[in-house]
């Protein structure tokens, strides 16, 4: 932990919120798709999703997290092996957009066969062939809180470093039906 204040979206809550949404829509077998490599925000989203699955009395199996290239057909086919996966959370909207394209290419319809969601609410999320359900990245709110934290830090430089989190917001679109 550095001596700097940290202002960010609550990624644990974001993962929980998106997974809970998919479960409420009837998904029983969720997967989390991410590119290889660790990232604290990604790990928090995964943990939040796992908690939502457990709280809904579903099982988090060893295959829950799938790390790979969403453009790679073999990876996506393995993801859908046996058609047991009915809901996919992606580490971010870019990954979800690429996965959506690959799923379409192998004739897996979203949201009819699998529901899909991402994180960040990027501008092009509504421009995809199927508009993407996502968790909003509250950039403006993060900036406002960071500015207030900076002002407080200037007036009281000895206060301990803080982590200030912003509550996530679910944006529901067609990719979840």
């Amino acid at each position: 932990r550095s001596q700097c204040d940290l202002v960010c979206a609550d990624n644990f809550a974001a993962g929980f919120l998106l997974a809970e949404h998919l479960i409420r829509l009837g998904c029983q077998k969720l997967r989390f798709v991410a590119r290889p490599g660790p990232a604290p925000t990604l790990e928090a989203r995964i943990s939040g999703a796992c908690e939502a699955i457990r709280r809904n009395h579903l099982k988090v199996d060893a295959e829950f997290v799938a790390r790979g290239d969403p453009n790679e057909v073999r990876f996506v086919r393995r993801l859908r092996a046996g058609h047991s996966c009915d809901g996919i959370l992606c580490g971010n909207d870019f990954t979800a957009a690429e996965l959506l394209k690959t799923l379409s290419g192998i004739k897996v319809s979203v949201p009819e066969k699998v529901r899909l969601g991402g994180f960040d609410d990027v501008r092009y999320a509504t421009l995809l062939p199927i508009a993407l359900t996502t968790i909003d990245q509250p950039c403006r709110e993060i900036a406002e809180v960071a500015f207030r934290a900076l002002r407080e830090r200037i007036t009281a430089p000895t206060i301990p470093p803080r982590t200030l989190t912003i509550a996530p917001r679910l944006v529901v679109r067609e990719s979840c039906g």
Side-chain angles (χ1 to χ4, degrees):
R1 178 77 169 97
S2 77
Q3 294 294 29
C4 299
D5 293 324
L6 173 65
V7 181
C8 61
D10 185 338
N11 285 290
F12 181 90
F16 187 96
L17 188 61
L18 185 55
E20 179 120 299
H21 175 68
L22 291 168
I23 292 166
R24 286 186 178 161
L25 292 174
C27 294
Q28 298 286 304
K29 175 78 171 168
L30 298 179
R31 301 292 299 276
F32 196 107
V33 173
R35 294 185 178 284
T41 54
L42 191 63
E43 297 308 317
R45 292 170 182 177
I46 291 167
S47 294
C50 288
E51 181 63 22
I53 293 167
R54 286 186 201 100
R55 282 199 192 172
N56 283 279
H57 310 291
L58 298 173
K59 186 179 181 213
V60 178
D61 60 33
E63 297 177 345
F64 174 65
V65 178
R67 294 189 189 268
D69 183 351
N71 291 303
E72 187 180 296
V73 171
R74 282 185 24 216
F75 170 73
V76 176
R77 285 192 194 282
R78 279 194 316 270
L79 190 66
R80 291 273 303 142
H83 307 288
S84 59
C85 172
D86 55 6
I88 301 174
L89 298 85
C90 292
N92 56 47
D93 289 348
F94 185 67
T95 300
E98 290 179 318
L99 182 60
L100 181 63
K101 181 180 176 189
T102 305
L103 286 167
S104 176
I106 60 172
K107 308 294 187 243
V108 175
S109 58
V110 174
E112 292 80 9
K113 296 293 182 188
V114 65
R115 298 175 192 271
L116 181 66
F119 294 87
D120 298 333
D121 196 20
V122 295
R123 288 182 187 256
Y124 59 79
T126 59
L127 303 175
L128 297 170
I130 299 165
L132 185 63
T133 293
T134 186
I135 298 292
D136 179 49
Q137 181 72 267
C139 295
R140 182 178 187 84
E141 220 176 325
I142 289 170
E144 290 169 355
V145 170
F147 180 73
R148 284 195 303 271
L150 177 62
R151 288 177 56 199
E152 290 170 9
R153 175 74 46 207
I154 291 168
T155 60
T158 59
I159 59 175
R162 303 166 291 177
T163 298
L164 307 166
T165 57
I166 311 297
R169 184 177 64 87
L170 177 68
V171 180
V172 178
R173 297 192 183 106
E174 291 78 22
S175 69
C176 281

